[in-house]
Amino acid sequence: MNNVLRGARMLPIKALIEYTFKRDVEQYAKHYTTAYNCSTEFPDRMWKLFHAREIRAQQHRVYPYSARHQRFMVETNLQTSDETGGSPYTVEFQNKPCSCGKWQIYRFPCSHAIAVCHNLRQDPKLTADARFYTETYHAQYNNQYFPVPHKEDWMYADWRLIGDLSKITILRVSSRSGCTFFNVFALRMSKKETVKMTTVSPLVPLGTLIGRELRHGNVEKPTVNYGQAALAKKGEDYFLIKPDCQRIPGNPSTSFSVFAIFDGHNGISAAIFAKDNLLNNILSAIPHGCDREEWLQALPRALVAGFVKTDIEFQQKGNKLYPLFFSKKLLLSVLAFFIFKELTGETSGTTVTFVVIDGWTITVASVGDSRCILDTQTGVVSLLTVDHRLEENVEERERVTASGGEVGRLNIFGGNAVGPLRCWPGGLCLSRSIGDTDVGEFIVPIPHVKQVKVSNRGGRLIIASDGIWDALSSETAANCCRGLPAELAAKHVVKEALRSRGLKDDTTCVVVDIIPYGYPAIPQTPKKKLNLLTSLIMGKRFNNSLNKEPNKLSAVGAVEELFEEGSAMLAERLGKDFPINSNSGIFRCAVCQGNEAPIEELSGTIFSASSGPMLCPKCRRKKDAMEGKRASVPTTLMI
């Protein structure tokens, strides 16, 4: 870039812009070709450097000093020709510093670090920073330029920028003439024009101009970029990516995006069923003909109805298949039921993290221990989900025991209790999921729902299964991929989790970037440097704000919280205002959306607005079971 600007010196402003733009396009096309012709793990220059250092590392001697802290002394080979080498270097492999300084400064392994990698039998290429990989090189030049259109095709701006004349600098043209640039400019203007120029209207702040555009709806929707990566251990993780959904079919202006992760357990049946049916069940619970604001307001309630309906349908799926699977003789055997369950996978369950993005509004619904975090441009990482692990969630433990379940650790033959807290019967570590028909109804499918609105600077969502979060904290996951494109970021998060903990569970990650319209990537906000006194004051204010409002998002000006609810009571989540046809007296079930005629003897219990939402008999039985009002046993065994 310096060479491009150096060649544009002393050019008129129009020629300077044209020259720099053309040169920039040429350089970009050159690097694009170089990047995609590269077949090694690093670009050519870095690959040659790595290969040279690897050859030198073969002559180094490595002495371990501390296996616990991975501290080594590396001694280089003494050169008899010029008496160089033979110097000792200290390598802290765990923290990645070397006493030579190259590793921590350039974030690329020096020959001493490579020698230690060989000693530990690890791949030294994994110690390089992500910026040096060929994948990053590809992603950096993955965008494209477009020719500048004719000025007649430019968008018309209904506002203009007015310069502040008080900021004009007086520059001398010549020391002999004593004439200034402003004087020369003023001499060529008439007196009337000069007076008009000095009495301009007050300046309009840029924030006011942006506010006018927002009120008139002139700001474009953000661009949504995404990437996903996964490593399978048991093969029970599934994900859903639908970036082109539409509230009104055929109308692109009503588009929204859906991203979800399904982490199955005890089989894959529940995860696959939820992936195939959950979105349709959610959309069917939203009233037709509503505008965008009404649609977003109805979405949290529709998410609850969709989750519960999917769980009911999955249980019914097992009930319908069971009589067809066995003969009448086998139906008399209780053992046949459990064999059927194992063969069909109907005892399986799944966690769900379901994300809906409409413009700048993000709505997240979750059951289980998969997680979704939001990384904004202020550097604050916000958690948009709640983990429903019994080990960590006291409220869920109290709810399960109040509903008739038991919570405890695994105890084999009267020995010491081991492992995480589980609910019995079933032995599940989670308090909420979809499926799990072999455990009590106190394992509910009612999701925690949170709806936020990000600023027009955008943000990044990281949606991942527990294989990621058991290895990385939310801040670590956000920091390790910050600045990378979405596709490469997802791969890097999975690689970082693998490096930290190894492959002990299925690891799936989906990264979604919400980018302002017209930007190729999320614009980075430079951090201000703070002196010691300022940093102490800011740190104190930040801690005080966390103590006062622990549940609020702390990224002021970046995220606005619109809605949050996590109650497991279905009546609280669905409300009472569901449609009724006044002419026919037909009610619509709040969960399955089925039309039901009121029954005379049941009108006071099933369709009473005072007792909660309007529910059909099937969904009412599910609600009562989840609240512990009837025996919470598997209902699929019919003998």
Side-chain angles (χ1 to χ4, degrees):
M1 184 57 68
N2 287 335
N3 293 333
V4 172
L5 296 176
R6 189 178 298 112
R9 288 177 179 174
M10 307 305 294
L11 290 177
I13 183 66
K14 182 179 179 181
L16 183 144
I17 294 175
E18 292 179 350
Y19 176 82
T20 53
F21 180 75
K22 290 179 180 179
R23 287 284 295 160
D24 196 21
V25 171
E26 291 176 2
Q27 293 294 325
Y28 191 92
K30 175 184 175 182
H31 285 283
Y32 177 88
T33 304
T34 304
Y36 279 84
N37 288 335
C38 182
S39 58
T40 55
E41 295 186 56
F42 300 124
D44 293 341
R45 181 181 175 186
M46 300 309 299
W47 182 255
K48 292 177 182 178
L49 178 62
F50 177 81
H51 186 62
R53 290 181 177 178
E54 197 168 31
I55 294 175
R56 288 201 302 270
Q58 297 175 0
Q59 302 176 0
H60 297 343
R61 291 180 293 276
V62 180
Y63 303 96
Y65 269 54
S66 174
R68 178 183 176 185
H69 300 92
Q70 293 186 319
R71 185 181 299 114
F72 299 86
M73 187 190 78
V74 179
E75 188 177 23
T76 59
N77 189 29
L78 179 64
Q79 303 292 332
T80 57
S81 58
D82 53 1
E83 297 184 357
T84 58
S87 303
Y89 295 91
T90 302
V91 176
E92 299 276 355
F93 188 76
Q94 189 171 3
N95 299 322
K96 295 184 179 180
C98 178
S99 57
C100 73
K102 295 179 181 178
W103 198 10
Q104 56 267 36
I105 294 175
Y106 301 109
R107 299 184 183 181
F108 195 80
C110 57
S111 61
H112 319 116
I114 295 175
V116 172
C117 287
H118 291 163
N119 182 269
L120 296 173
R121 296 185 178 181
Q122 295 192 20
D123 189 356
K125 293 189 287 294
L126 295 177
T127 62
D129 193 77
R131 73 185 71 177
F132 294 110
Y133 285 96
T134 303
E135 293 178 352
T136 308
Y137 198 22
H138 288 173
Q140 185 175 2
Y141 294 98
N142 195 32
N143 294 311
Q144 52 186 329
Y145 276 99
F146 292 95
V148 179
H150 192 272
K151 64 180 182 180
E152 293 181 355
D153 298 327
W154 294 357
M155 295 180 62
Y156 175 74
D158 57 353
W159 50 270
R160 61 192 181 95
L161 296 177
I162 303 175
D164 188 355
L165 295 180
S166 63
K167 300 293 188 305
I168 294 181
T169 304
I170 305 299
L171 300 176
R172 291 189 176 276
V173 177
S174 172
S175 58
R176 291 186 299 175
S177 63
C179 184
T180 64
F181 170 79
F182 184 75
N183 291 336
V184 173
F185 181 69
L187 289 174
R188 296 183 180 180
M189 299 171 58
S190 65
K191 184 176 181 181
K192 183 178 179 181
E193 291 174 338
T194 306
V195 173
K196 183 179 178 181
M197 182 176 178
T198 56
T199 57
V200 294
S201 58
L203 299 177
V204 179
L206 184 59
T208 303
L209 298 175
I210 296 176
R212 292 175 184 172
E213 290 192 3
L214 286 171
R215 286 191 294 272
H216 290 88
N218 294 330
V219 174
E220 297 283 351
K221 272 191 172 184
T223 303
V224 177
N225 291 347
Y226 59 88
Q228 66 83 23
L231 287 175
K233 176 74 172 180
K234 296 179 288 185
E236 294 176 335
D237 277 8
Y238 289 84
F239 61 89
L240 174 68
I241 296 178
K242 293 184 73 67
D244 52 357
C245 301
Q246 294 178 353
R247 297 193 305 274
I248 302 176
N251 187 352
S253 64
T254 63
S255 62
F256 64 96
S257 303
V258 171
F259 303 90
I261 280 184
F262 308 88
D263 183 2
H265 47 264
N266 297 330
I268 62 174
S269 182
I272 295 177
F273 186 86
K275 176 185 175 182
D276 294 340
N277 297 277
L278 181 56
L279 177 58
N280 292 332
N281 290 340
I282 293 170
L283 296 180
S284 66
I286 300 178
H288 297 287
C290 54
D291 58 19
R292 180 177 180 272
E293 294 299 326
E294 295 171 341
W295 192 88
L296 288 174
Q297 290 179 4
L299 182 58
R301 187 166 59 182
L303 285 164
V304 175
F307 272 63
V308 177
K309 182 180 179 181
T310 304
D311 184 75
I312 294 174
E313 289 178 346
F314 181 69
Q315 292 183 357
Q316 290 178 338
K317 173 189 173 188
N319 290 341
K320 291 178 181 179
L321 291 176
Y322 180 71
L324 301 176
F325 189 79
F326 294 106
S327 64
K328 294 182 180 180
K329 185 176 182 180
L330 285 176
L331 283 173
L332 299 177
S333 173
V334 176
L335 180 62
F337 168 75
F338 294 101
I339 295 175
F340 166 75
K341 291 294 184 182
E342 292 298 325
L343 291 177
T344 60
E346 298 308 319
T347 59
S348 66
T350 182
T351 71
V352 180
T353 298
F354 198 90
V355 181
V356 179
I357 302 174
D358 189 341
W360 303 102
T361 303
I362 304 169
T363 309
V364 183
S366 62
V367 292
D369 55 0
S370 297
R371 190 182 300 172
C372 175
I373 65 173
L374 171 62
D375 184 17
T376 61
Q377 298 311 297
T378 58
V380 177
V381 179
S382 306
L383 184 61
L384 301 184
T385 54
V386 171
D387 287 348
H388 296 128
R389 286 185 177 180
L390 292 170
E391 185 74 35
E392 303 166 0
N393 199 318
V394 179
E395 294 181 1
E396 288 296 289
R397 290 203 297 268
E398 295 174 350
R399 181 189 62 79
V400 169
T401 54
S403 300
E406 296 183 5
V407 177
R409 305 185 191 277
L410 184 63
N411 193 329
I412 303 176
F413 303 116
N416 295 328
V418 296
L421 287 176
R422 302 173 184 271
C423 57
W424 305 95
L428 193 64
C429 301
L430 306 173
S431 61
R432 302 194 193 189
S433 68
I434 289 180
D436 292 308
T437 57
D438 59 336
V439 299
E441 294 282 3
F442 43 77
I443 305 299
V444 300
I446 302 176
H448 170 272
V449 180
K450 191 166 194 172
Q451 189 176 74
V452 298
K453 184 176 182 180
V454 298
S455 70
N456 56 6
R457 287 185 295 174
R460 164 170 288 179
L461 294 174
I462 301 179
I463 316 162
S465 60
D466 63 333
I468 296 292
W469 306 120
D470 288 342
L472 304 176
S473 66
S474 300
E475 289 75 14
T476 302
N479 292 334
C480 75
C481 66
R482 193 169 286 154
L484 299 177
E487 185 174 357
L488 187 60
K491 295 179 181 178
H492 197 65
V493 170
V494 172
K495 185 183 295 185
E496 194 70 21
L498 180 64
R499 182 185 302 175
S500 174
R501 187 169 177 260
L503 187 60
K504 296 185 179 180
D505 194 3
D506 294 336
T507 56
T508 304
C509 178
V510 177
V511 174
V512 184
D513 285 343
I514 304 174
I515 305 172
Y517 180 79
Y519 285 82
I522 300 176
Q524 298 294 323
T525 303
K527 296 182 179 180
K528 295 182 179 180
K529 295 184 178 180
L530 303 177
N531 55 34
L532 180 60
L533 179 60
T534 307
S535 61
L536 290 174
I537 296 174
M538 294 299 292
K540 186 175 181 180
R541 290 180 180 174
F542 180 71
N543 291 331
N544 292 338
S545 65
L546 287 182
N547 294 331
K548 291 179 181 179
E549 297 184 1
N551 296 325
K552 296 294 183 181
L553 294 173
S554 55
V556 179
V559 179
E560 177 186 357
E561 184 174 321
L562 303 178
F563 176 89
E564 183 175 12
E565 181 61 61
S567 171
M569 303 298 290
L570 194 61
E572 296 178 5
R573 303 297 298 276
L574 293 181
K576 304 174 183 179
D577 51 338
F578 278 82
I580 174 176
N581 191 325
S582 57
N583 296 327
S584 62
I586 294 178
F587 294 87
R588 173 172 295 178
C589 176
V591 172
C592 67
Q593 306 303 308
N595 293 326
E596 294 284 340
I599 304 175
E600 192 71 28
E601 60 270 18
L602 298 178
S603 60
T605 57
I606 292 183
F607 297 112
S608 173
S610 61
S611 64
M614 303 299 181
L615 299 175
C616 65
K618 173 184 63 180
C619 297
R620 172 67 65 174
R621 288 194 295 270
K622 176 71 175 178
K623 172 184 175 295
D624 292 342
M626 289 190 296
E627 295 176 359
K629 296 180 180 178
R630 66 179 180 87
S632 57
V633 295
T635 58
T636 51
L637 183 56
M638 307 285 292
I639 297 179

